[in-house]
Amino acid sequence: EIASCLVGSEMCIRDRVYTDNIKEKWLHTTHPDELKKNFTIGTGRNWLSSSWLAQQGYTIVEGHTVDSLWRMLNHGRFDLFHRGILEVNQEVNQQLALGYSLFIDDKFLISYKVDFFFYVQPGDTNTKKIITEGLKMAYANGSFQQRFEEYIKKSLPEHKNMLNGKNIIRLENQLIPQSVRNIPDKYWYQ
């Protein structure tokens, strides 16, 4: 029952080219409620976060593929495009190489819990016990956190403090089972 998850952390991406009206609104946007009122968010059709954003009052525009969403952002079909924190830098760099004018927003982070676990064969209690005890021991002695931080620095070298100073939009993941919801917050990356 140990989860440290960056999969459920998403950065918002803005198109650098926008009207003065949108620019003015953006400069004065400091709270997630203002996003609901003034901006549209591009998201994938059938992505988990799409329904959560809509349920919480955000205006979303859905696309069929990631590539089509990038084109839609470039053509002004929506104001923000949310991408996972582990994929955002590579994808933005690819889009910049194609001539798109984009940047990663430094105001907001969308966050939600997603289960990301080791799975073993049903009935293999010995392997389950070894993994569970090993992870708990690594967490207790700090080596789990140390390795995880090393992973973050390696995977996100230019944004080692990527999560700090953001207005965090926390979405409730209604699809995770109660057993996952009961995992103590200390095991989730905050």
Side-chain angles (χ1 to χ4, degrees):
E1 295 180 343
I2 295 188
S4 284
C5 186
L6 288 175
V7 175
S9 297
E10 300 182 345
M11 305 296 292
C12 291
I13 301 158
R14 293 268 312 140
D15 190 334
R16 288 180 197 253
V17 182
Y18 44 86
T19 65
D20 287 339
N21 183 35
I22 294 291
K23 181 178 181 179
E24 190 64 27
K25 284 182 189 176
W26 186 252
L27 291 174
H28 298 296
T29 299
T30 58
H31 192 273
D33 286 341
E34 295 170 281
L35 283 180
K36 290 179 188 180
K37 190 168 90 175
N38 297 317
F39 298 96
T40 54
I41 299 176
T43 187
R45 189 173 311 277
N46 299 320
W47 290 0
L48 296 175
S49 53
S50 299
S51 62
W52 304 332
L53 285 163
Q55 287 170 1
Q56 294 191 26
Y58 292 90
T59 303
I60 63 169
V61 176
E62 293 183 324
H64 291 283
T65 67
V66 172
D67 288 338
S68 68
L69 284 159
W70 284 112
R71 287 191 302 275
M72 290 166 71
L73 175 64
N74 192 47
H75 289 98
R77 294 273 312 277
F78 49 81
D79 302 309
L80 304 169
F81 182 24
H82 67 98
R83 298 302 294 140
I85 201 167
L86 296 176
E87 62 208 359
V88 66
N89 290 316
Q90 180 181 358
E91 288 188 13
V92 167
N93 287 334
Q94 288 170 346
Q95 299 307 311
L96 291 172
L98 293 173
Y100 291 163
S101 180
L102 307 166
F103 67 98
I104 299 171
D105 170 58
D106 62 356
K107 288 185 180 184
F108 297 98
L109 178 88
I110 298 170
S111 176
Y112 51 89
K113 290 182 178 179
V114 177
D115 54 341
F116 201 68
F117 299 102
F118 289 100
Y119 291 93
V120 297
Q121 290 289 331
D124 188 352
T125 57
N126 188 47
T127 302
K128 178 182 174 184
K129 181 180 176 185
I130 290 169
I131 292 171
T132 301
E133 288 178 5
L135 285 171
K136 285 183 177 180
M137 190 170 19
Y139 194 88
N141 70 25
S143 60
F144 179 89
Q145 297 90 320
Q146 180 183 352
R147 295 289 296 196
F148 190 74
E149 290 298 324
E150 289 170 8
Y151 168 76
I152 290 172
K153 288 176 185 171
K154 180 181 173 188
S155 300
L156 308 166
E158 62 278 356
H159 294 290
K160 75 177 184 181
N161 294 319
M162 198 175 241
L163 303 178
N164 295 339
K166 299 271 187 273
N167 287 307
I168 299 178
I169 300 168
R170 297 197 188 279
L171 302 178
E172 184 67 30
N173 180 347
Q174 299 294 332
L175 300 176
I176 58 174
Q178 191 60 44
S179 60
V180 174
R181 291 177 200 209
N182 291 341
I183 294 173
D185 285 342
K186 72 178 183 175
Y187 293 127
W188 295 91
Y189 192 78
Q190 304 280 332

